[in-house]
Amino acid sequence: MPHDHHDNDHLSPSGHPYRADDDTDLSYWQTMEIAVRELLVEKGITTSAEIAGQIETMDARTPSNGAQVVARAWTDPDFHAALIQDASAATRDMGFDIGPLKLIAVENTDDIHNMIVCTLCSCYPRNLLGLPPDWYKSRAYRSRTVREPRSVLAEFGVTLPESTKVRVHDSTADMRYIVIPKRPQETDNMTQAELAALVTRDSMVGTGLAKTP
Ligand code: FE
């Protein structure tokens, strides 16, 4: 006797959400990655454990790194000056090394709102924000942000006064940006840790604002 046909065919018989197997052919780049990785291991240049460890380190980086940087910039004038002067060095001193890349901190004020994009691909300050979200890598975000930043901002729920100038920064393979969002009002008595909790990932990309307490 045939099984009853489920109306909800996105659920498995046990009620779990159904996910199609992704056992399709490897793409050119997937094949290339496997070939290069296996060669490097075979030649003793690196080990599988080192590669797994590096991936773990990358996955462990989250926007809370950047939030700590912003909260310190809001509260420590010397650090703020150092961050504006040389963000690579200032964040390295906090333990967030961006390596040989140049990091530039841009600050949002009443007069200017900065937004970050990588029009070419997905360059992102991963040492401070972790892996970029899918929308950051999408063609729509990359192309529309430079043409109609205010429309993109509106879709993120951010509407700025006409008097605020919007400046879009295009990241490159060598140069990354971090936005210092405007410090919310009525936060004078908050500690750095409390302030850091107000700093969202999107506020450091410029597609959002810091939360109000
Ligand atoms: Fe890129």
Side-chain angles (χ1 to χ4, degrees), residues 1-208:
M1 189 179 153
H3 284 286
D4 285 338
H5 206 83
H6 285 266
D7 287 327
N8 287 322
D9 58 6
H10 59 287
L11 294 178
S12 71
S14 61
H16 287 277
Y18 177 74
R19 187 183 195 281
D21 288 330
D22 56 356
D23 47 4
T24 49
D25 290 342
L26 294 174
S27 70
Y28 172 83
W29 293 110
Q30 286 172 320
T31 310
M32 179 71 90
E33 183 272 324
I34 294 167
V36 171
R37 171 159 46 85
E38 290 186 346
L39 263 178
L40 290 171
V41 172
E42 199 177 295
K43 288 178 180 293
I45 293 165
T46 185
T47 64
S48 298
E50 269 180 355
I51 294 169
Q54 197 60 39
I55 291 170
E56 203 164 303
T57 304
M58 286 196 278
D59 283 350
R61 294 184 302 209
T62 72
S64 77
N65 292 2
Q68 290 174 55
V69 171
V70 169
R72 188 167 167 202
W74 281 345
T75 50
D76 176 344
D78 290 341
F79 178 76
H80 179 274
L83 188 67
I84 298 294
Q85 175 78 29
D86 182 346
S88 304
T91 53
R92 188 182 307 120
D93 288 348
M94 282 184 76
F96 308 128
D97 196 353
I98 200 165
L101 303 185
K102 184 166 175 57
L103 179 71
I104 297 171
V106 288
E107 186 164 27
N108 286 349
T109 64
D110 288 334
D111 298 327
I112 188 155
H113 181 92
N114 297 280
M115 270 176 100
I116 308 173
V117 66
C118 175
T119 53
L120 202 59
C121 47
S122 58
C123 299
Y124 192 70
R126 294 175 187 221
N127 64 322
L128 298 180
L129 301 184
L131 295 174
D134 283 346
W135 56 256
Y136 186 83
K137 299 182 276 186
S138 70
R139 189 181 289 273
Y141 179 77
R142 285 159 38 213
S143 56
R144 290 182 56 221
T145 299
V146 287
R147 287 202 314 264
E148 41 176 23
R150 281 180 194 271
S151 305
V152 173
L153 280 175
E155 288 168 34
F156 277 94
V158 177
T159 310
L160 300 167
E162 277 303 317
S163 56
T164 303
K165 199 170 170 180
V166 177
R167 186 173 286 163
V168 178
H169 303 269
D170 193 4
S171 313
T172 69
D174 313 309
M175 198 160 63
R176 309 294 159 91
Y177 293 91
I178 179 88
V179 173
I180 309 171
K182 225 167 48 167
R183 180 172 173 164
Q185 287 176 337
E186 291 166 41
T187 56
D188 291 355
N189 299 321
M190 291 176 76
T191 64
Q192 257 184 49
E194 288 167 341
L195 288 167
L198 304 177
V199 183
T200 62
R201 175 193 68 197
D202 289 5
S203 74
M204 293 181 279
V205 181
T207 52

